[in-house]
Amino acid sequence: MEVDSEKNGRASASHSAEQDHGVVVEDRLRRALSPRQVQMIAIGGTIGTGLFLGTGKALATGGPASLLLCYAIVGAIVFVTMLSLGEMAAFVPVAGSFCTFSARYVDDAWGFALTWNYWFNDAVSTAADLVALQLILQYWTDTFPWYALGLIVWFLLVLANIINVRAYGEVEYWLCLLKVITIVIFIILSIAVNCGGNTTHEYIGARNWYLPGAPFVGGIGGFASVFVTASFAYGGTESIAITAGETRDPARQLPRVVKNVFWRILFFYILASLMIGLNVPYNYPGLNSKDTRTSPFTIAFQLAGSKVAGSFVNAVILTSVISAGNHALFAGSRLLYTLSVNGHAPKVFGRLTRFQVPWVSVLFTSFISGLLFGASFIGAGQLWTWLQNLVGVSNQLSWISIGIASLRFRAGLKAQGKEHLLPFKNWTYPAGPIIAVVLGIFIVLVQGWSCFSPNFNAVDFVSYYIELPVFALMFVVWKLIKRTKFKRASEMDLITDVYTKDDMEPEEVGWKGKAKRIGGWLCF
């Protein structure tokens, strides 16, 4: 009771204001995302170029075994990371999410470096998606101006993000639904293609695993390079927690979202990677070149003997890229807003519209993405690879930081006697976060192996490792300027913005309640 009264005493004003107006007083963002939107965004919001195009590059550079193993290993890291993040986000559901947690439970300088790093990650991700549009369009024509489609989509993304959060949520819901349906059809069709339902009417089986050079193409260098591609593909999974600041009943909804991540990883990534490796040879033309990329999803439909179906899938992939860009711009603008609110960025980025949308942050993030997109003249395929490497490493730094913040968060709860207040507990603690952090650090260091062998490639080296010194420099500079201190467990802020089991909205009982829960699980 003493802990509860302390929490209620310091937070009752903000919670009553939120319940009355649907606005979080601390960051003034409106909780307008419904459970069905949050569930669908969690399932398919970040599925985009990393899965639809990245798997092709990974297959070409690492082979089918590297593709499957690396996607499975990174998937396991992401799942544990999401359990850790879900535990914190259900307790403190704010738009800053893991960036805020790093500042509160580790060191303010760490939170500063991580938030700026992840904001840049989202700006680069949006640009990478705009670049990918050119690569996808090349399936139909090479004559369409390279900049035209990107500019049109860029404008539409800005519009969807600046109107209000409901507009973003609804656009994302339907685009995600289309992606999910396409992947389900792809997996079913891939099984049929493998069993003989292809243009040659031959059983494929594991034939492509026994091609010369397969299943591990490029040796240790090829295997290690797939890690960054997998990290790019899974990237953004953690950003679903950024919607916590605009989600209704976050203490109840976020744990449900986190639990569904396991099935998403198993079905969408690992099973899709297996089918791609079985059906598509690693040396298929166009999988990985400087100027073009062909999606293995499109190839699978071509193998089934339908050029029309191939065009349909390519069109769906195009919409999925738009969806991923939409999500990245949303997350990036919210992080820039959080930086402003916390005094880590100019106050102008904290300005809101009457619908509580951080419009200055949206415009600035989209502007930076547009500048990066403008570099496409060097070769869309090459630029996309560099952007992918930058985003992949940035994602890994975020996952490592989430693991560290989770360990410190639990230490703080234990020291202050508040573990019983958690709405959701990470069942892998403490082994899960520790293993995820150690594996994450190892992967960050070894994934650039290919840029050293057989010959040193300076440009690739920069794309793999530039994030590390930049992150370290931002941490050290902010720590020296602000003289920040490492957060002690007994002194952590475990009161501000906190939601406990008592703050959950009561669920409907009877058949209506059961129907709503089933509908929510099915994203309806």
Side-chain angles (χ1 to χ4, degrees), residues 38-66:
V38 174
Q39 284 282 11
M40 185 57 80
I41 292 169
I43 292 171
T46 58
I47 295 175
T49 54
L51 180 62
F52 289 121
L53 284 179
T55 46
K57 176 182 179 293
L59 179 63
T61 57
S66 296

Side-chain angles (χ1 to χ4, degrees), residues 244-260:
E246 294 164 90
T247 301
R248 300 173 199 160
D249 195 14
R252 189 187 307 279
Q253 296 304 328
L254 289 174
R256 289 177 177 173
V257 165
V258 168
K259 290 173 185 175
N260 285 342

Side-chain angles (χ1 to χ4, degrees), residues 116-131 151 154 158 328-329 332-333 336 349 359-376 383 387 390:
W116 273 112
N117 169 77
Y118 203 79
W119 168 79
F120 184 67
N121 173 337
D122 285 320
V124 172
S125 294
T126 307
D129 291 326
L130 294 175
V131 172
L151 287 176
W154 178 82
V158 174
L329 182 56
S333 60
L336 186 55
F349 295 121
W359 65 277
V360 179
S361 294
V362 171
L363 291 179
F364 185 75
T365 304
S366 58
F367 173 71
I368 297 300
S369 298
L371 287 181
L372 291 168
F373 166 68
S376 295
L383 177 63
L387 294 179
L390 286 172

Side-chain angles (χ1 to χ4, degrees), residues 65-345:
S66 296
L67 173 67
L68 182 60
L69 280 175
C70 290
Y71 271 67
I73 292 170
V74 176
I77 293 173
V78 170
F79 178 58
V80 172
T81 299
M82 286 302 295
L83 288 174
S84 303
L85 180 57
E87 181 179 72
M88 294 185 287
F91 192 66
V92 184
V94 292
S97 186
F98 52 90
C99 299
T100 297
F101 304 149
S102 293
R104 289 189 184 184
Y105 311 136
V106 183
D107 190 308
D108 186 61
W110 191 274
F112 170 81
L114 179 64
T115 312
W116 273 112
N117 169 77
Y118 203 79
W119 168 79
F120 184 67
N121 173 337
D122 285 320
V124 172
S125 294
T126 307
D129 291 326
L130 294 175
V131 172
L133 291 174
Q134 302 170 54
L135 301 173
I136 295 165
L137 192 65
Q138 287 169 359
Y139 179 80
W140 293 297
T141 178
D142 289 321
T143 58
F144 196 77
W146 66 267
Y147 54 84
L149 183 61
L151 287 176
I152 293 169
V153 171
W154 178 82
F155 176 77
L156 293 175
L157 292 182
V158 174
L159 202 62
N161 277 270
I162 213 165
I163 296 174
N164 59 45
V165 73
R166 285 183 182 176
Y168 157 78
E170 204 58 32
V171 168
E172 198 62 16
Y173 175 85
W174 292 106
L175 289 176
C176 289
L177 182 60
L178 183 60
K179 283 189 284 188
V180 170
I181 292 171
T182 301
I183 294 174
V184 171
I185 293 172
F186 164 77
I187 290 173
I188 295 171
L189 182 73
S190 294
I191 295 172
V193 167
N194 190 267
C195 294
N198 50 61
T199 52
T200 59
H201 304 292
E202 294 179 353
Y203 173 70
I204 297 175
R207 182 192 306 168
N208 291 319
W209 283 55
Y210 295 99
L211 292 173
F216 290 97
V217 177
I220 185 66
F223 177 76
S225 68
V226 178
F227 278 118
V228 75
T229 307
S231 298
F232 175 76
Y234 283 107
T237 306
E238 69 288 340
S239 68
I240 184 61
I242 293 174
T243 65
E246 294 164 90
T247 301
R248 300 173 199 160
D249 195 14
R252 189 187 307 279
Q253 296 304 328
L254 289 174
R256 289 177 177 173
V257 165
V258 168
K259 290 173 185 175
N260 285 342
V261 167
F262 173 78
W263 300 109
R264 169 190 160 183
I265 290 171
L266 180 65
F267 191 79
F268 293 150
Y269 288 94
I270 298 177
L271 189 53
S273 298
L274 173 63
M275 297 315 300
I276 288 168
L278 287 174
N279 291 340
V280 182
Y282 76 88
N283 53 4
Y284 192 92
L287 277 180
N288 183 34
S289 67
K290 180 177 179 180
D291 298 311
T292 63
R293 291 282 189 283
T294 303
S295 170
F297 284 73
T298 304
I299 293 169
F301 278 80
Q302 288 177 338
L303 290 172
S306 176
K307 181 74 174 176
V308 175
S311 291
F312 169 74
V313 172
N314 213 55
V316 171
I317 294 171
L318 190 143
T319 62
S320 77
V321 170
I322 296 171
S323 166
N326 187 35
H327 184 74
L329 182 56
F330 170 85
S333 60
R334 268 52 182 182
L335 285 177
L336 186 55
Y337 168 79
T338 300
L339 283 164
S340 174
V341 169
N342 292 333
H344 294 162

